[in-house]
Amino acid sequence: MTRVLLTGFEPFGGERVNPSWQAVWRLAAAPPDGCDATAVQLPCVFGAALDTLRAAVERTDPEVVVCVGQAGGRADLTVERMAVNVNDAVIPDNAGRQPIDAPVVGGGPVGYFATLPVKACVAAARTAGVPASVSQTAGTYVCNHVFYGLMHLIATQRPAVRGGFVHIPYAPEQVLDRALPSMPVTLAVEGLRAVVAAAASQRGDIAMLGGATH
Amino acid sequence: MTRVLLTGFEPFGGERVNPSWQAVWRLAAAPPDGCDATAVQLPCVFGAALDTLRAAVERTDPEVVVCVGQAGGRADLTVERMAVNVNDAVIPDNAGRQPIDAPVVGGGPVGYFATLPVKACVAAARTAGVPASVSQTAGTYVCNHVFYGLMHLIATQRPAVRGGFVHIPYAPEQVLDRALPSMPVTLAVEGLRAVVAAAASQRGDIAMLGGATH
Amino acid sequence: MTRVLLTGFEPFGGERVNPSWQAVWRLAAAPPDGCDATAVQLPCVFGAALDTLRAAVERTDPEVVVCVGQAGGRADLTVERMAVNVNDAVIPDNAGRQPIDAPVVGGGPVGYFATLPVKACVAAARTAGVPASVSQTAGTYVCNHVFYGLMHLIATQRPAVRGGFVHIPYAPEQVLDRALPSMPVTLAVEGLRAVVAAAASQRGDIAMLGGATH
Amino acid sequence: MTRVLLTGFEPFGGERVNPSWQAVWRLAAAPPDGCDATAVQLPCVFGAALDTLRAAVERTDPEVVVCVGQAGGRADLTVERMAVNVNDAVIPDNAGRQPIDAPVVGGGPVGYFATLPVKACVAAARTAGVPASVSQTAGTYVCNHVFYGLMHLIATQRPAVRGGFVHIPYAPEQVLDRALPSMPVTLAVEGLRAVVAAAASQRGDIAMLGGATH
């Protein structure tokens, strides 16, 4: 059995739910064959989110870590390619803090690539019937903060872990009257299950289109 | 029992499926309480689509008619406010015809409002958990062609019928690698069921925001 | 000399300027060859806007009327195809009124087509180097209100007038920090000049793609 | 006098012009006060673009380097925050090559931050009346390739140089019939002049909102 750690976030930005937590909670209850999954909810708070993540890694000793967040406005499941060493918040976090251009880890490298097989994960989600693509940026808010912190932890202490970050769209209930893209949580769960299965079963990535001209 | 006629389209524009047909076929098999529904597939062909619609109206003698089409790129279920008397095709229809600025009905009025309670239908879809909004234009292609033809038929021959047009987004399977908004057909069906129930149960509309500044 | 009446709006929706007034004011000072133009500013107020328009038509006895409005978020100059007989405001007008689903003209027809040669106007703007397209809806706010009122006036009292409505994007100064599309007023003026010249010189329209699938 | 090197690209992706070259050519002819600028056109070719850039740096010994590229679809001038060590092309370059997930510099770090004062540059463009924002990703095509190569050159050989990358929107002539955002080259030049002036006059950055939630 592959030990998998999944994280989702509490609601933020005035939302009443966060589909990332709804999704990973369900996925942990029905993980892919051959996987044993734990789901942990992270606060949407700089610093505290990473503390919770680190404690969960310590506790569960995972081989695969997939952190999941809400990307309001995106239309598909996106597997993030890289984390960047900056906290630059356009809205306050849930503790009221709003760092501007501060490093996630002082002295850390500018960026880390996910150690998930990013394109294999995208392809797996599509095969499962879930619209998916590679994202070139996870932003500079708490999602990226957690992603960078995870990859720094992996780089410095747990090099064998395959880890990364996946963004999912709003749930339909969040955009009933907003004409914004959404994805039912059940569909996001199917996509995430395929992502986890791909991450658990293969280390190398596949050659597939997934870049951006800008 | 309220007699309901539902129509969906065959695929067009290079797509292999059309979620409008997938949805109305399912909905006809499980209509709202108190409704008896028939689903008919229309060809995506100017003229022939209307012939098929008119024959279906003749055959089923409906009290409510909801024509449904695919609006690729829209993020939510949209209830169309008005039909316009113009065929103006940016791509050929499935018979290869591409009319430019021709009337749907020679000598017909410029526009018709839907006789569905448009905003009540939108509100009902939202209450059912389906993102929905009013659309100010159904375009100028076969969807609008059918919508206008339906409303002309109602205005000239069947004034008691509540009729209109609803657009639904792409199905996820159509946009697996395109990062465009989608809505699972099962969710669209739930929204359409609420629309039909609202149309069957109330004639007057509700006062609700639903306009556009431009 | 062709007598041309141009209208633009005062600012609304929290903006400090309205590029439609900035543009028509400039255009009236430098109209196309063979045209004599008057620019009038309309209040962004249901009813009062139409009163001002009607008075200006009475005073200037125009052969061509082009009403211009701001379409925040659109990327190009859009020539409106049709006006609809509904006031449905999502924000209050500048007098604080917010009609919902009320007719512009009680008992008036559902819609009017512009009597401008819409596609010839679009083509002329493009030839002048200005991105332009046909719009299928002018919305349901004060812009459409004025457009419908103008077309009703033309239909009932001044059938020889070529009239219509053109939307232009935000000016750059309005979106400095919003990452929304914009068009410098000077470029909009060039596009509008081409539109007016086309409207002044030709009555019939051209066959050109300009529809929408939805 | 501050020595400034500007680069723009040749057309790519089926376009007939590239506004980045049109803009930097004009800017070099009229640089900000106190600056002496050279403009160099880069081929849109992986490898060759960097060779040309390196030669230009060698030849001009600049204190400030601003590479400029076209970001078709973006609405404003965007100052890129970071470069990433990956070439991942979704379309072939102008030499027909299409690398997938290859490093720009084998063994190089995952990312580099621009050494321009990114937010001060954005603020300066806005003050000059040009819509502008921070971009979190320069993509994975030749633009990012050049950006990464520049920052690697600076990091390894010319640490005092303030360098970075700016994307500008399509020129209006490129989108006459596409309803996509555009910016006149003259306006882009004004924005770039402000960016260069900010980069030439200040080393430290300012605290200003400019992040992204995802």
Side-chain angles (χ1 to χ4, degrees):
Chain A
M1 297 293 278
T2 303
R3 291 182 307 279
V4 178
L5 174 62
L6 304 168
T7 71
F9 283 100
E10 65 181 2
F12 71 97
E15 301 292 328
R16 284 185 303 180
V17 299
N18 190 316
S20 68
W21 173 242
Q22 297 177 320
V24 302
W25 180 87
R26 279 165 181 73
L27 179 54
D33 289 346
C35 292
D36 195 22
T38 303
V40 172
Q41 191 187 61
L42 306 182
C44 187
V45 175
F46 288 100
L50 264 181
D51 293 341
T52 305
L53 173 67
R54 287 190 198 105
V57 169
E58 200 62 32
R59 194 171 64 245
T60 61
D61 187 27
E63 295 158 277
V64 170
V65 182
V66 179
C67 297
V68 183
Q70 163 197 300
R74 286 195 192 162
D76 61 347
L77 183 155
T78 45
V79 184
E80 298 293 342
R81 187 193 288 267
M82 74 172 303
V84 53
N85 191 15
V86 68
N87 297 326
D88 194 13
V90 285
I91 53 174
D93 70 13
N94 284 359
R97 271 172 255 152
Q98 191 168 3
I100 302 285
D101 290 337
V104 180
V105 175
V110 169
Y112 283 112
F113 287 123
T115 51
L116 296 178
V118 169
K119 289 183 176 175
C121 289
V122 168
R126 291 176 182 170
T127 299
V130 182
S133 60
V134 176
S135 166
Q136 319 301 337
T137 171
T140 59
Y141 195 55
V142 185
C143 287
N144 172 75
H145 176 80
V146 162
F147 183 18
Y148 186 92
L150 168 67
M151 300 319 300
H152 188 70
L153 180 70
I154 289 173
T156 55
Q157 298 178 30
R158 293 176 174 266
V161 172
R162 273 155 284 166
F165 199 98
V166 177
H167 269 114
I168 60 174
Y170 279 134
E173 65 178 296
Q174 296 177 277
V175 296
L176 291 174
D177 58 0
R178 290 200 275 172
L180 291 173
S182 65
M183 180 180 282
V185 170
T186 50
L187 190 64
V189 169
E190 291 176 45
L192 290 169
R193 185 178 293 114
V195 165
V196 168
S201 64
Q202 60 188 108
R203 186 165 286 275
D205 207 348
I206 61 175
M208 187 178 85
L209 292 187
T213 52
H214 58 263
Chain B
M1 297 294 276
T2 303
R3 292 184 306 281
V4 178
L5 174 62
L6 304 169
T7 71
F9 283 100
E10 64 181 3
F12 70 98
E15 300 292 329
R16 285 185 302 181
V17 299
N18 190 316
S20 68
W21 173 241
Q22 297 176 320
V24 300
W25 180 87
R26 279 166 181 73
L27 179 54
D33 288 348
C35 292
D36 195 23
T38 304
V40 172
Q41 191 186 60
L42 306 182
C44 188
V45 175
F46 288 100
L50 264 182
D51 294 341
T52 304
L53 173 67
R54 287 191 198 105
V57 168
E58 200 62 33
R59 194 171 65 244
T60 62
D61 187 28
E63 295 158 276
V64 170
V65 182
V66 179
C67 297
V68 183
Q70 162 196 300
R74 286 194 192 162
D76 61 348
L77 183 154
T78 47
V79 184
E80 297 293 343
R81 187 193 289 266
M82 74 171 304
V84 54
N85 192 14
V86 68
N87 297 326
D88 195 13
V90 286
I91 54 174
D93 70 12
N94 284 359
R97 270 172 255 152
Q98 191 168 4
I100 301 286
D101 290 338
V104 180
V105 175
V110 169
Y112 283 113
F113 287 123
T115 51
L116 296 177
V118 169
K119 289 184 176 176
C121 289
V122 168
R126 291 175 182 171
T127 299
V130 182
S133 59
V134 177
S135 166
Q136 320 302 337
T137 173
T140 59
Y141 194 56
V142 185
C143 286
N144 173 74
H145 176 79
V146 162
F147 182 18
Y148 186 92
L150 168 67
M151 300 319 300
H152 188 70
L153 180 69
I154 289 173
T156 55
Q157 298 177 30
R158 293 176 174 265
V161 171
R162 273 154 284 166
F165 199 97
V166 177
H167 269 114
I168 60 174
Y170 279 133
E173 65 178 296
Q174 296 178 276
V175 296
L176 291 173
D177 58 0
R178 289 199 276 171
L180 292 173
S182 65
M183 180 181 283
V185 170
T186 50
L187 190 64
V189 169
E190 291 176 44
L192 291 168
R193 185 179 292 115
V195 165
V196 168
S201 64
Q202 60 188 107
R203 186 165 287 276
D205 207 348
I206 61 176
M208 187 179 85
L209 292 188
T213 53
H214 58 262
Chain C
M1 298 293 278
T2 302
R3 291 183 306 282
V4 177
L5 174 61
L6 304 168
T7 71
F9 283 99
E10 64 181 4
F12 71 97
E15 300 292 328
R16 284 184 303 180
V17 299
N18 190 316
S20 68
W21 173 242
Q22 297 176 320
V24 301
W25 180 88
R26 280 166 180 73
L27 179 54
D33 289 346
C35 292
D36 196 23
T38 304
V40 171
Q41 191 187 60
L42 306 182
C44 187
V45 175
F46 288 100
L50 264 182
D51 295 341
T52 305
L53 173 66
R54 287 191 198 105
V57 168
E58 200 62 33
R59 193 171 66 245
T60 61
D61 187 27
E63 296 158 276
V64 170
V65 182
V66 179
C67 298
V68 183
Q70 162 196 300
R74 285 194 193 162
D76 61 347
L77 183 154
T78 46
V79 183
E80 296 293 343
R81 187 193 289 266
M82 74 171 304
V84 55
N85 192 14
V86 69
N87 297 326
D88 195 13
V90 286
I91 54 174
D93 70 12
N94 284 359
R97 270 173 255 152
Q98 190 168 6
I100 301 286
D101 290 338
V104 180
V105 175
V110 170
Y112 283 113
F113 287 123
T115 51
L116 296 178
V118 169
K119 289 184 175 175
C121 290
V122 167
R126 291 176 182 169
T127 299
V130 182
S133 59
V134 177
S135 166
Q136 320 302 337
T137 173
T140 59
Y141 195 56
V142 185
C143 287
N144 172 75
H145 176 79
V146 162
F147 182 19
Y148 185 93
L150 167 67
M151 300 319 300
H152 188 69
L153 180 69
I154 290 172
T156 55
Q157 299 178 30
R158 294 176 174 265
V161 171
R162 274 154 283 165
F165 199 98
V166 177
H167 269 113
I168 60 174
Y170 280 133
E173 65 177 296
Q174 296 178 277
V175 296
L176 291 174
D177 57 359
R178 290 199 274 172
L180 291 172
S182 64
M183 180 180 283
V185 171
T186 50
L187 190 64
V189 169
E190 291 176 44
L192 290 169
R193 184 179 292 113
V195 166
V196 168
S201 64
Q202 60 188 108
R203 186 165 286 275
D205 207 347
I206 61 175
M208 187 178 85
L209 293 188
T213 53
H214 58 262
Chain D
M1 297 294 278
T2 303
R3 291 183 308 280
V4 177
L5 173 63
L6 304 168
T7 71
F9 282 100
E10 65 181 4
F12 71 98
E15 300 292 328
R16 285 185 302 181
V17 299
N18 191 315
S20 68
W21 173 242
Q22 297 177 321
V24 301
W25 180 86
R26 279 165 181 74
L27 180 54
D33 289 346
C35 292
D36 195 23
T38 304
V40 172
Q41 192 187 59
L42 306 182
C44 188
V45 175
F46 287 99
L50 264 182
D51 293 342
T52 305
L53 173 67
R54 287 191 198 105
V57 169
E58 200 63 33
R59 193 170 68 244
T60 62
D61 187 27
E63 295 158 278
V64 170
V65 182
V66 179
C67 298
V68 183
Q70 163 196 299
R74 285 193 193 164
D76 62 346
L77 182 155
T78 45
V79 184
E80 297 293 342
R81 187 193 288 267
M82 73 172 303
V84 53
N85 191 13
V86 68
N87 298 326
D88 194 13
V90 285
I91 53 173
D93 70 13
N94 284 358
R97 270 172 257 151
Q98 190 168 5
I100 302 286
D101 290 338
V104 180
V105 175
V110 169
Y112 283 112
F113 288 122
T115 51
L116 296 178
V118 169
K119 290 184 175 176
C121 289
V122 167
R126 291 176 182 171
T127 299
V130 182
S133 59
V134 176
S135 167
Q136 320 302 337
T137 171
T140 59
Y141 195 55
V142 185
C143 286
N144 172 74
H145 175 80
V146 161
F147 182 19
Y148 186 92
L150 168 67
M151 301 319 301
H152 188 70
L153 180 70
I154 289 173
T156 55
Q157 298 178 30
R158 293 177 174 265
V161 171
R162 272 154 285 164
F165 199 98
V166 177
H167 270 115
I168 60 174
Y170 279 134
E173 65 177 295
Q174 296 177 276
V175 297
L176 291 174
D177 58 0
R178 290 199 275 171
L180 291 173
S182 65
M183 180 180 282
V185 170
T186 50
L187 190 64
V189 169
E190 291 176 44
L192 290 169
R193 185 179 292 113
V195 165
V196 169
S201 64
Q202 59 189 109
R203 185 166 287 275
D205 207 347
I206 61 175
M208 187 178 86
L209 292 188
T213 53
H214 59 262

